């Protein structure tokens, strides 16, 4: 069976599986979605682009954006970045406050909310027009014209963002946030509100399979070493306290979001994006993980 046939077969199978997940109701607008949506899209370095189901529908990418904001901050600051955020798996939930107090406001990694808030703060300090500049950076990574913020989702999250506000203020008290917490939070909610489709995501993330060079114009975004490091952080921290299990079941670097999206990268081969909005208890797409587990099992290729 070729890749397209495997994807179609697994899609047909997993679409019928009883979904044990639930929509991310803590952000009210995220419940405004067809919970049965299911899409998959793969983009490979040898020019295969193939998708099934709702692969062209845009959805809220939420924490998947944390990879892109990290990459922009890394390309601006270089290795100095790691003075403000570490690269260890947290073993705690994405929005946990527990480690921050004992670890003096230095977040464990850039993908938990605490780390992503520090990255948002860094971007705020370095960009003239943070929202426009970040969107421009993301648009440069692929030929996708479809990327944009959702004011509706950002406002919805801002209205209930008590926990992120607590995280941001706690980090500020340790002097690891430079800007006003309200500004950092506003920027962070906008980042998380970005909307893209599985097709857009798999095309965009393909540069991480391509040693840091974009596919559209062969532009180098990260060095080879930096690209390895971003993939390594996705491998070890991309699924919060389910990162070990994702490595065990799927065996690829990846990143999830509470909108139900997952993107995974096979260095030197492909990027694949899956969307199914119902989440498991750890906040990761139930069917998304099921699909990717079966996909690397059937294709018998993973980074291990
Ligand atoms: O800050 C939040 O809670 C959300 N904007 C993002 C969390 C998220 O996507 C975690 N991913 N699984």
């Amino acid at each position: 069976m070729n890749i397209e046939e495997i994807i179609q077969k697994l899609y047909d199978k997993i679409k019928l599986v009883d979904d044990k997940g639930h929509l991310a109701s803590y952000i009210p607008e995220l419940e405004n979605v067809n919970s049965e949506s299911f899409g998959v899209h793969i983009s490979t370095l040898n020019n295969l682009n193939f998708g099934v189901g709702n692969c062209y529908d845009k959805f809220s990418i939420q924490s998947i954006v944390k990879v892109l904001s990290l990459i922009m901050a890394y390309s601006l600051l270089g290795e100095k970045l790691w003075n403000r955020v570490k690269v260890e798996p947290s073993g705690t939930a994405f929005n946990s406050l527990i480690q921050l107090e004992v670890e003096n406001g230095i977040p464990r990694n850039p993908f938990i909310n605490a780390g992503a808030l520090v990255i948002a703060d860094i971007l705020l300090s370095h960009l003239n027009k943070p929202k426009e500049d970040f969107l421009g950076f993301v648009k440069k990574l692929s030929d996708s014209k479809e990327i944009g913020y959702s004011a509706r989702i950002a406002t919805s999250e801002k209205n209930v963002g008590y926990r992120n506000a607590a995280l941001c203020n706690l980090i500020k008290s340790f002097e690891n946030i430079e800007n006003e917490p309200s500004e950092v939070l506003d920027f962070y909610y906008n980042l998380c509100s970005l909307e893209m489709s599985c097709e857009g995501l798999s095309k965009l993330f393909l540069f991480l399979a391509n040693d840091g060079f974009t596919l559209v114009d062969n532009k180098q975004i990260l060095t080879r070493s930096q690209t390895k490091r971003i993939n390594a952080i996705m491998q070890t921290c991309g699924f919060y306290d389910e990162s070990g299990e994702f490595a065990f079941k799927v065996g690829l670097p990846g990143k999830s979001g509470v909108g139900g999206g997952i993107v995974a990268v096979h260095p030197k081969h492909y990027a694949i994006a899956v969307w199914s909005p119902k989440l498991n208890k750890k906040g990761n797409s139930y069917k998304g993980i099921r699909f990717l587990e079966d996909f690397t099992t059937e294709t018998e290729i993973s980074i291990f």
Side-chain angles (χ1 to χ4, degrees):
M1 254 196 266
N2 64 26
I3 296 262
E4 293 101 307
E5 288 164 341
I6 292 175
I7 289 177
Q8 187 68 59
K9 184 184 96 173
L10 295 178
Y11 175 83
D12 294 340
K13 178 183 128 190
I14 290 168
K15 194 162 175 55
L16 301 177
V17 163
D18 179 29
D19 198 327
K20 302 217 169 26
H22 297 280
L23 293 177
S25 56
Y26 79 102
I27 301 174
E29 270 299 324
L30 286 184
E31 283 199 294
N32 242 333
V33 66
N34 179 355
S35 62
E36 299 309 309
S37 305
F38 186 28
V40 182
H41 195 280
I42 192 166
S43 300
T44 73
L45 290 183
N46 50 17
N47 293 320
L48 171 70
N49 275 292
F50 177 74
V52 286
N54 300 97
C55 67
Y56 305 114
D57 293 359
K58 290 201 287 179
F59 60 91
S60 187
I61 72 168
Q62 291 295 322
S63 286
I64 296 174
V65 81
K66 293 171 181 171
V67 183
L68 306 173
S69 51
L70 169 65
I71 290 170
M72 190 178 195
Y74 197 16
S75 61
L76 289 169
L77 253 70
E79 305 309 317
K80 272 196 310 198
L81 182 69
W82 312 120
N83 296 332
R84 302 221 11 218
V85 60
K86 293 187 280 189
V87 292
E88 283 302 329
S90 67
T92 56
F94 62 88
N95 54 7
S96 172
L97 286 132
I98 290 174
Q99 288 161 341
L100 266 186
E101 170 80 2
V102 274
E103 296 181 1
N104 301 317
I106 310 289
R108 274 284 174 107
N109 69 66
F111 294 160
I112 50 173
N113 289 9
L117 286 163
V118 168
I119 298 292
D121 180 60
I122 290 169
L123 292 179
L124 267 190
S125 298
H126 282 80
L127 303 176
N128 290 330
K129 294 184 178 158
K131 287 181 206 167
E132 289 93 318
D133 294 351
F134 178 75
L135 198 55
F137 174 78
V138 173
K139 284 184 172 167
K140 265 196 331 207
L141 299 177
S142 76
D143 58 0
S144 178
K145 305 275 174 289
E146 52 152 26
I147 312 167
Y149 300 113
S150 161
R152 192 172 46 81
I153 302 267
T155 307
S156 176
E157 183 166 15
K158 191 175 180 171
N159 288 340
V160 293
Y162 306 112
R163 195 167 254 275
N164 282 323
L167 284 166
C168 198
N169 282 290
L170 184 56
I171 306 170
K172 177 87 178 168
S173 77
F174 285 106
E175 299 179 357
N176 194 20
I177 289 280
E178 290 173 353
N179 298 281
E180 268 309 307
S182 59
E183 285 168 30
V184 178
L185 288 161
D186 180 73
F187 184 45
Y188 170 81
Y189 294 136
N190 274 279
L191 295 179
C192 292
S193 82
L194 267 196
E195 292 184 321
M196 288 185 71
S197 66
C198 290
E199 181 201 28
L201 277 173
S202 71
K203 287 183 171 170
L204 191 148
F205 273 75
L206 194 53
F207 83 98
L208 290 174
N210 194 36
D211 285 332
F213 290 83
T214 60
L215 276 291
V216 261
D217 51 6
N218 206 35
K219 197 169 178 306
Q220 186 166 24
I221 305 295
L222 298 170
T223 65
R224 284 187 164 78
S225 163
Q226 289 175 324
T227 308
K228 174 203 72 183
R229 289 177 170 197
I230 297 293
N231 286 331
I233 304 171
M234 285 205 286
Q235 182 70 56
T236 50
C237 310
F239 298 83
Y240 313 104
D241 44 344
E242 198 175 12
S243 297
E245 206 163 328
F246 187 83
F248 179 76
K249 287 178 170 168
V250 179
L252 294 175
K255 184 75 203 79
S256 62
V258 289
I262 297 180
V263 61
V265 174
H266 193 309
K268 313 268 194 278
H269 290 270
Y270 62 76
I272 187 165
V274 185
W275 175 48
S276 169
K278 288 192 189 167
L279 311 176
N280 66 18
K281 290 200 172 68
K282 304 280 167 98
N284 301 315
S285 171
Y286 178 82
K287 285 194 176 177
I289 291 188
R290 278 290 304 266
F291 180 90
L292 290 169
E293 177 179 8
D294 285 5
F295 182 68
T296 51
T297 304
E298 286 271 335
T299 54
E300 295 186 330
I301 44 171
S302 84
I303 64 160
F304 300 108

